[in-house]
Amino acid sequence: MKAFSFCILAAIFVCLWAAPAWHDLLPATNLEKDGIGDIWHDCSKPNDSLKLIKVEIRPNPPKLGQDLTILATIELNETVTGGRMQLSAYYGIIPVFVVKMDLCLATERFGLTCPISPGTYQNSTHFPLSRRLPGGHYTGSGKLFDQKGSELVCFEFNFYL
């Protein structure tokens, strides 16, 4: 079950990692009221079944050449038997990547199989950051959908390097 939260972390990381040069990172806007997520925000709908309870990025802002740690607490309110994940990142208007993947296949890579039961999940993951990345405006988003095609969660990134 920790693997499902790891899948969320991996989705968040893919958006962050694809955004070059973490030094001199400035948030485009103050997106989270609690100050924990100054480069991301939760764009989920009120009735989405997966809630991002807490996402913490360390160091914040991330530092070039240092490991990036992402800590997340999520709450899933429905049983997930299938679905899909879609992630994207852009440098200005240029797509850095666009990924669409089966949600159960993604979670299997982390040792979890569908169905995924409702519950609260916590996890942390660490990633090294490359030093070879250009500065500029980056945006990214991630959405997870359940077996019915209903949105489970949405998150967006918006920052300048």
Side-chain angles (χ1 to χ4, degrees), residues 2-7 9 70-73 121-125:
K2 286 168 60 173
F4 188 65
S5 62
F6 186 79
C7 183
L9 292 171
I70 302 172
L71 305 136
T73 303
Y121 301 92
Q122 295 180 329
N123 205 343
S124 66
T125 192

Side-chain angles (χ1 to χ4, degrees), residues 26-41 158:
L26 299 173
T29 58
N30 185 10
L31 299 173
E32 289 295 310
K33 296 179 189 124
D34 61 9
I36 292 172
D38 60 349
I39 63 174
W40 69 276
H41 86 219
N158 185 3

Side-chain angles (χ1 to χ4, degrees), residues 18-159:
W22 291 102
H23 68 291
D24 301 325
L25 179 70
L26 299 173
T29 58
N30 185 10
L31 299 173
E32 289 295 310
K33 296 179 189 124
D34 61 9
I36 292 172
D38 60 349
I39 63 174
W40 69 276
H41 86 219
D42 184 346
C43 54
S44 301
K45 299 172 186 149
N47 61 340
D48 283 357
S49 294
L50 194 150
K51 305 294 181 205
L52 296 170
I53 305 299
K54 181 178 181 180
V55 176
E56 192 171 339
I57 300 166
R58 294 182 189 165
N60 190 358
K63 305 282 184 211
L64 189 62
Q66 292 184 10
D67 284 355
L68 174 68
T69 300
I70 302 172
L71 305 136
T73 303
I74 63 169
E75 183 178 320
L76 179 63
N77 297 320
E78 73 171 62
T79 298
V80 175
T81 60
R84 72 184 197 286
M85 173 174 59
Q86 82 188 38
L87 307 168
S88 61
Y90 296 86
Y91 175 69
I93 61 169
I94 302 167
V96 176
F97 69 88
V98 176
V99 176
K100 293 181 181 178
M101 178 176 220
D102 179 86
L103 184 59
C104 290
L105 181 62
T107 59
E108 284 176 8
R109 292 179 179 184
F110 305 111
L112 184 67
T113 57
C114 288
I116 303 165
S117 300
T120 300
Y121 301 92
Q122 295 180 329
N123 205 343
S124 66
T125 192
H126 311 279
F127 303 95
L129 295 177
S130 173
R131 294 186 178 271
R132 304 175 304 172
L133 305 166
H137 185 209
Y138 290 85
T139 57
S141 67
K143 289 186 178 186
L144 303 180
F145 299 91
D146 68 10
Q147 60 278 358
K148 299 173 282 190
S150 298
E151 183 178 286
L152 289 168
V153 70
C154 173
F155 52 88
E156 295 178 335
F157 298 91
N158 185 3
F159 54 87

